[in-house]
Amino acid sequence: PNRATAASVALLGLASVASAAESGPAERALAVLAADRGTGEVVVLPKAPTRATKSGSGGVPIAIAARVHAPLGRLLAVLADPGAYQRAVPAFVRAETLRQEPANGSAPARLLAWELEVPLWNLKGKLWLRPRGDGVDLDLSEGDMAPGQLRLRARAAGDDEATLTLEGAVNVRDANWVTRRLAGRDPLAEPAMTATATYVLVRALA
């Protein structure tokens, strides 16, 4: 992201959020995004961490909202296309459909084998990509960063504009021995790693 975009990123939730009881994290992210006249994103950590999470706990909840300069229909098509994730994030070296399951009134759910290229070692596993009417769910079922679920939702924001929200949690803590060590030493490490990973995904898709 450019300097203006980076400057407009807001990290919330590490302090108390007044509207926490009134709306969910995705709605809070959208509200902050609407109040921002820039072109950036909002990263919301709904719950302030007071101690390190336990291994296998499913991760720290997070929500992100971003503006997308594309029509809603195009964004929805991108979210449902496994190949789009590889094109958006070149480090995804594998997103192979292993099987499909029919879904009522929507595109079939796909079980994907995925692999992410990172320095020293690759992360890999399996996830279900489940199309919804307004986006997709990514359910991490096996391997690195499982268990976890990310809910990506798209909303129209004009003729050629849309907003993309991501909400959920993934098990970043147990991705490898380095992340386990960092998360075990500092309760802020796992939220920071989660924010970084999901921010990269949202920016790439947007």
Side-chain angles (χ1 to χ4, degrees):
N2 60 33
R3 187 174 302 177
T5 299
S8 65
V9 175
L11 291 175
L12 305 177
L14 298 180
S16 61
V17 179
S19 61
E22 301 173 5
S23 62
E27 286 70 25
R28 298 208 310 271
L30 282 170
V32 177
L33 185 69
D36 176 20
R37 298 183 181 276
T39 59
E41 303 76 35
V42 178
V43 180
V44 178
L45 303 175
K47 185 177 181 181
T50 56
R51 59 184 177 181
T53 60
K54 295 181 180 179
S55 179
S57 65
V60 175
I62 192 167
I64 302 176
R67 293 183 179 89
V68 181
H69 301 294
L72 176 61
R74 185 184 303 171
L75 177 57
L76 288 171
V78 166
L79 295 178
D81 177 10
Y85 295 83
Q86 284 186 282
R87 294 190 294 272
V89 184
F92 271 116
V93 295
R94 187 185 185 197
E96 177 186 352
T97 299
L98 300 179
R99 75 171 188 265
Q100 300 186 42
E101 290 187 354
N104 295 329
S106 62
R110 299 170 182 260
L111 177 62
L112 304 178
W114 63 270
E115 184 172 354
L116 181 67
E117 192 175 53
V118 296
L120 302 181
W121 54 79
N122 288 4
L123 303 178
K124 56 187 176 180
K126 295 179 182 177
L127 65 83
W128 281 97
L129 190 156
R130 304 182 189 277
R132 306 299 184 192
D134 56 352
V136 299
D137 290 343
L138 303 178
D139 296 326
L140 285 84
S141 56
E142 298 180 32
D144 299 321
M145 296 194 289
Q149 184 188 66
L150 298 175
R151 298 176 296 280
L152 292 128
R153 297 293 184 265
R155 307 184 190 189
D159 293 338
D160 294 313
E161 299 283 332
T163 57
L164 173 62
T165 60
L166 176 150
E167 183 179 0
V170 293
N171 186 17
V172 174
R173 174 194 176 93
D174 294 325
N176 54 53
W177 71 270
V178 173
T179 56
R180 286 192 293 272
R181 183 175 178 84
L182 288 172
R185 292 172 63 92
D186 187 342
L188 295 180
E190 187 175 3
M193 291 185 290
T194 302
T196 300
T198 52
Y199 172 84
V200 169
L201 176 61
V202 167
R203 279 312 308 151
L205 292 172

